[in-house]
Amino acid sequence: MKKITISTLLAKKQRAEKITALTAYDASFAKLFDEQGIDVLLIGDSLGMVLQGQDSTLPVTTTDIAYHTRSVRAGAERAFVIADMPFMSYATPEQTYANAATLMAAGASMVKLEGGDWLAESISGLRDRGVPVCGHLGLTPQSVNVFGGFKVQGREEDKAQQLLDDALALEQAGAQLLVLELVPTSLAKRISEALTIPVIGIGAGPHTDGQILVMHDMFGISANYMPKFSKNYLTETGDLREAVSRYIEQVQAGEFPGPEHSFE
């Protein structure tokens, strides 16, 4: 199978073909996911919770992400690899450029930043320096203390409009991909249709251009709890490879996520 690029993902959106994504943190699982045909692998700062046993993503460092990015890149031959930039690793443009360079050198194809239009300068600077960027809006786990917990975002019209405005601002600044987390289905649809770049959802309903899950949630082995928006594919199949294959099939067919995994 041909190597996945950002052009591949954009073409999928234009053809209304769903993008499939999972988190990965090591070479073995990256290889397994890659062989089943996953489009995107994300080295998420979720590793702080699912690997390190932290109660949030905040303690994760750039060094942590770079280590796991190298591991994932070693196992992934064709999937598009995105690396999270951790909490406070992109507080200023200069800091952003230095830390993004570390993650790209570790093997990332793109870096992901959480936040709205205040990131425009940094995103534009990364684009000018040849670093592809994925934005992240909605529930941004690095801001969990501001939100007062892991709560659905954008239910009020003014908050929904702000998320749409932020999404447009990130695209205008040069972001080439967007993750939407924990937002109402109708808002995710509205944002996905407004942007020309692909939108990948998690807890954002079925109308985004693709879906991503934390691998530990998909296998039902998270140390904390199973989010409403996830699904335990390992219980259904009894086999890791078959679980990934079924996830990909159901996303591509529009069968996942269903109403029981979504928010209004």
Side-chain angles (χ1 to χ4, degrees):
M1 291 182 281
K2 295 176 64 176
K3 193 173 183 67
I4 302 292
T5 68
I6 190 61
S7 297
T8 311
L9 302 179
L10 179 59
K12 279 179 171 285
K13 176 180 176 107
Q14 293 168 344
R15 295 193 301 264
E17 296 177 6
K18 295 293 186 181
I19 297 165
T20 60
L22 285 170
T23 63
Y25 314 98
D26 64 34
S28 296
F29 275 108
K31 185 174 187 293
L32 187 154
F33 298 160
D34 199 54
E35 289 174 345
Q36 298 310 303
I38 204 78
D39 295 318
V40 176
L41 294 175
L42 169 68
I43 299 89
D45 57 6
S46 50
L47 69 86
M49 302 174 77
V50 298
L51 298 187
Q52 298 175 344
Q54 309 283 353
D55 61 3
S56 76
T57 64
L58 303 187
V60 176
T61 66
T62 301
T63 300
D64 291 336
I65 296 289
Y67 171 86
H68 289 281
T69 298
R70 284 191 294 272
S71 298
V72 168
R73 174 52 73 190
E77 294 185 6
R78 53 168 294 284
F80 191 72
V81 176
I82 304 175
D84 260 346
M85 294 195 67
F87 178 63
M88 292 301 288
S89 68
Y90 48 98
T92 66
E94 293 72 22
Q95 187 184 31
T96 305
Y97 307 150
N99 287 319
T102 297
L103 298 181
M104 294 296 287
S109 304
M110 173 179 272
V111 297
K112 182 167 76 65
L113 292 74
E114 296 182 8
D117 61 1
W118 65 273
L119 285 171
E121 180 183 355
S122 292
I123 291 173
S124 178
L126 287 171
R127 176 198 61 197
D128 293 345
R129 288 160 176 79
V131 179
V133 177
C134 176
H136 185 153
L137 292 171
L139 188 282
T140 46
Q142 292 174 17
S143 301
V144 63
N145 291 325
V146 174
F147 294 142
F150 296 93
K151 301 177 180 179
V152 177
Q153 303 297 306
R155 278 184 159 148
E156 303 84 2
E157 181 52 38
D158 60 328
K159 300 291 178 57
Q161 185 61 50
Q162 183 61 59
L163 284 174
L164 174 58
D165 292 344
D166 282 339
L168 291 167
L170 296 183
E171 180 179 61
Q172 180 64 33
Q176 294 177 281
L177 201 65
L178 179 69
V179 169
L180 269 185
E181 181 170 357
L182 269 187
V183 301
T185 295
S186 57
L187 175 59
K189 184 175 187 291
R190 184 175 163 194
I191 292 173
S192 299
E193 291 175 347
L195 299 186
T196 59
I197 62 175
V199 177
I200 297 178
I202 177 168
H207 303 302
T208 53
D209 303 304
Q211 299 293 329
I212 185 167
L213 287 178
V214 174
M215 57 164 281
H216 292 69
D217 292 341
M218 190 194 70
F219 292 143
I221 55 174
S222 289
N224 299 309
Y225 75 104
M226 176 66 73
K228 171 185 173 177
F229 55 75
S230 192
K231 181 177 180 179
N232 186 341
Y233 280 90
L234 186 57
T235 294
E236 283 192 2
T237 62
D239 178 81
L240 292 174
R241 289 173 177 80
E242 180 60 29
V244 177
S245 179
R246 185 167 302 182
Y247 165 68
I248 291 172
E249 289 170 1
Q250 290 192 354
V251 170
Q252 291 175 339
E255 297 171 5
F256 177 84
E260 68 274 25
H261 310 111
S262 306
F263 302 89
E264 296 299 335

